[in-house]
Amino acid sequence: MNRNITVGKYFVEMAKKHKPKYRFGGSGKQDWQKWREGLLPAVKATLGRMPAKVPLNAEVVSEREDDGVIKQHVVIDVEEGLAAPLYLFRPASVKGKLPLILASHGHGAYGKDAVMGNRGTPERAHDIEVANYDYGLQMAKAGFATIAIDWRGFGVRADAGKPNWLSYGVGRDPCNVHYLRATIMGMTVLGMNCHDGACAL
């Protein structure tokens, strides 16, 4: 049999032949602006149906100054029936408006805590040291305002340990489970996280 039956190989071969519809072929700012005007709606369309906006109802849960940084723990509403915790850091020595950085965490176990420098356990401290991962804290110390939110399914927004968590897909990759659930609803987790990040900002 000479036919390919491997799906991974299929995608590799498809990628070799694929020419992206929205690849940039220009050379200057005007070309870039025209390209962006066509690309942006196409990118947004891939994110699926977005959550409806709701009032944020921001609540400062705690605030303290530590090592020259004002650290706020804030909770906001991101959509009907769902809130999100975030950290907002800013240098204590700077008054007035500051440039703001959204510090996005990766797939680690600690969500926003790691990028904002929470070394509360040896495991957290190790993760931060290995990857120089506390860039949200570093940038706040360097004079920026920084904000980090737990993406859906991470940090304190993870399902494990919550009431009824056994019915939420235990034993499976939570990213996979959330992806399937979102897709069934015509949404994507990436779109939901983009929405949450915009709410945080």
Side-chain angles (χ1 to χ4, degrees):
M1 182 167 96
N2 211 7
R3 295 180 291 178
N4 175 47
I5 58 172
T6 306
V7 178
K9 181 178 178 184
Y10 158 81
F11 279 116
V12 169
E13 294 303 317
M14 180 191 291
K16 289 178 185 176
K17 300 172 191 169
H18 178 69
K19 291 190 177 178
K21 179 179 179 181
Y22 290 102
R23 69 187 182 279
F24 180 66
S27 60
K29 186 174 181 178
Q30 284 185 321
D31 291 341
W32 176 83
Q33 287 172 331
K34 185 176 179 183
W35 169 79
R36 184 181 184 276
E37 287 173 13
L39 175 67
L40 190 57
V43 169
K44 286 182 176 180
T46 67
L47 297 176
R49 181 175 58 83
M50 297 297 277
K53 292 183 179 182
V54 297
L56 297 176
N57 298 318
E59 175 188 356
V60 178
V61 176
S62 66
E63 180 177 323
R64 65 188 170 98
E65 185 175 333
D66 180 37
D67 199 17
V69 175
I70 297 172
K71 300 178 176 181
Q72 292 181 314
H73 175 205
V74 181
V75 176
I76 60 172
D77 291 334
V78 292
E79 63 178 293
E80 187 67 35
L82 186 64
L86 58 91
Y87 292 141
L88 175 60
F89 289 6
R90 66 185 186 280
S93 61
V94 180
K95 304 299 180 209
K97 291 184 179 181
L98 292 169
L100 178 65
I101 297 171
L102 176 63
S104 298
H105 68 78
H107 275 245
Y110 309 112
K112 68 186 179 316
D113 284 9
V115 295
M116 298 305 262
N118 181 341
R119 290 172 168 80
T121 65
E123 295 81 13
R124 288 172 188 240
H126 178 263
D127 278 5
I128 291 169
E129 298 312 317
V130 165
N132 191 28
Y133 198 30
D134 61 346
Y135 75 96
L137 175 60
Q138 292 180 41
M139 293 295 103
K141 287 181 176 181
F144 296 89
T146 59
I147 196 164
I149 187 170
D150 278 329
W151 300 127
R152 295 182 188 218
F154 290 93
V156 297
R157 296 176 87 190
D159 294 330
K162 304 279 187 347
N164 301 318
W165 77 284
L166 292 175
S167 64
Y168 298 149
V170 68
R172 298 199 39 201
D173 174 13
C175 290
N176 171 261
V177 173
H178 291 315
Y179 172 82
L180 294 172
R181 290 176 173 153
T183 303
I184 290 168
M185 303 292 182
M187 305 173 88
T188 65
V189 178
L190 178 58
M192 293 170 163
N193 283 333
C194 287
H195 167 84
D196 292 358
C199 290
L201 291 171

